[in-house]
Amino acid sequence: MSAVWTTAYLDLLARDADPAEFDRPVDAARRAGADPAAVAEVERARESALRVREVLEARRRREHELSALFQTAGDLASLTDVDAVLHAIVSRSRDLLHSDVAYLSLMDAAAGDTYMRVTVGCTSELFRAVRLSLGAGLGGMVAQTGTAYATSAYFEDHRIDHTATIDAAVADEGLSAILGVPLVLGGQLIGVLYAAHRSVRPFAAAEIALLTSFAAHAAIALDKARALSETRAALRDLQVADEMLRARTVAVERAAEAHDRFFGLVLRGGDAAAVAAEVRTLLAGDVLVVDADGTVLAAAGSSAGPTAAEAALARRAATAGRTLRAEGVHAAPVVAGADVLGALLLRRGEPLEEADRRILERAALVSALLLLFRRSVAAAEDRLRGELLEDVLLDRDGSGLPARARRAGIDLSVPHAVVVAEIAGQRGLAADAGASVAAARGGLSAVHDGRLVIVLPHLSPAAAGALVSAEVARRTGRSPTAGVAGPAAGSHEVRAAHAEALRCLRTLQALGRTGEAAGSADLGFVGLLLADDRDVPTYVRSVLGPVLDYDERRGTELVATLRAYFAEGAAVARTAAALHLHANTVTQRLDRVTRLLGADWSAPERRLEVQLALRLEALVRHPD
């Protein structure tokens, strides 16, 4: 009969029957009237079968757990992001142990404790923020010893070093049973992995072993993810470094190209306009080169002068000694030591890269070099022109003067106007103004006997005087008193014109006509006396021309009426009697003269001019 019950229990084990079914063979034996010994044997068979069933169940559970462990380890191995690996570790730990909560803390080597890194199933912010010093709390014990610890009731476990902070966090989360296992990599503890329940329950040895094994796999996966992350970061850094190197190489090549362009420009004797053109090509914007006063020396692209804002930016850049940027414009100072020569303005909406800024500053440096060179050349030319004019005025190097003048680009044989100006104040600025006008017009300029002397070709004396006065006034802020003469061709005539212009200057000063420019023709009878040629007919016509023309056209006798008027002491009645005319007729003639000569013809100074012209006119008509 025992074989029958053994077979029955084998069948139950084979179909994995529920434990309650293992009582049926015992009940059947009793119902069949088996003796007590047989029933006892069947009961022993039942106990053996149940033990076998438990062993099989444990093995199946272990097999399932191992399968889940390896599957989870495989899944972790496929992850490459550190954060993703950490979250997967905690989530899979919760699933493997069917816990209420799972979390992971990492070591902080600098602080000497662990901090909460990832939590799953937690609801307490206080718990998520807790830090565990080594030895404190269950996690501190694991971190300090590197050994797994488990407690079924955290608050009743006296093995644990309880602290108010940690206990408050555990209580806030409502945890009771906690299991913590170390995350170890290469013999180094990197963190602690936890599984926890909110109810009191012990952790089986199999659960502790399972979480410990999983922690070992998790540490490897985490190390792999960290390595990959560091590799990616290194690759990104390498890519960034490569891009920076490429950009640097391009910038160096552009800088070298700009250097070659500017160096070649200097060697070719280029000017500010050439610099502006090169900057426009290299930096793609409109370019202005301006002097210290904001005057445009050269332009490339738009030729519009600097706005008030651009001029202010240029001054600030010169003061700061560096390139400045405002809305749509960059300004690089053109300076030589403490000497501000001007600025280089680049109109461009986009900001400049460092390399482009250096190109602009290199262009400003080249501009300063060229302007200094031009200034040196101009100074040398001014000195030569001044020396040449001094020799002309002092009649030195007589036969050699024409040849020297030609070498300086001056042709003394053409008509020249001569200007002599008083420069009592701001002599240097006035001399610079004269040199500038002379250089621009192909003339000569010098300071002779304390006065500015300028000789300009192909200009009337009046035009030359106006031009010089305007430039001196612009530079010094005050109009000079100047005498003019000419035209004069040849060094001898230039010396004579200089003497006449000097006499006109002294006459203007004597008459109190400060700040005027005038020649002999502008000084009335005084000019007639000063002039070397004493052109009487021209003087007569300058005073009486409109009256003479009227008499000639109309056959009137206005000139005769004026003679009689002055002869009779400017008395209308006596003039009428002398001419045998009615007084109204004389008045009408005098009104006509007023309309022709102007209302001031009878003023004292002008009356003297008119009387002298009337006498000279009679002498010209009847020289005998």
Side-chain angles (χ1 to χ4, degrees), residues 197-221:
H197 295 279
R198 293 190 170 89
S199 58
V200 175
R201 67 178 292 277
F203 285 94
E207 291 178 315
I208 297 174
L210 178 61
L211 192 60
T212 301
S213 298
F214 180 64
H217 288 287
I220 295 172

Side-chain angles (χ1 to χ4, degrees), residues 598-619:
D600 64 340
W601 70 271
S602 59
E605 289 187 9
R606 185 78 183 280
R607 178 183 295 186
L608 180 60
E609 293 265 359
V610 174
Q611 286 180 285
L612 179 58
L614 287 170
R615 289 180 179 274
L616 293 175
E617 191 272 339
L619 291 174

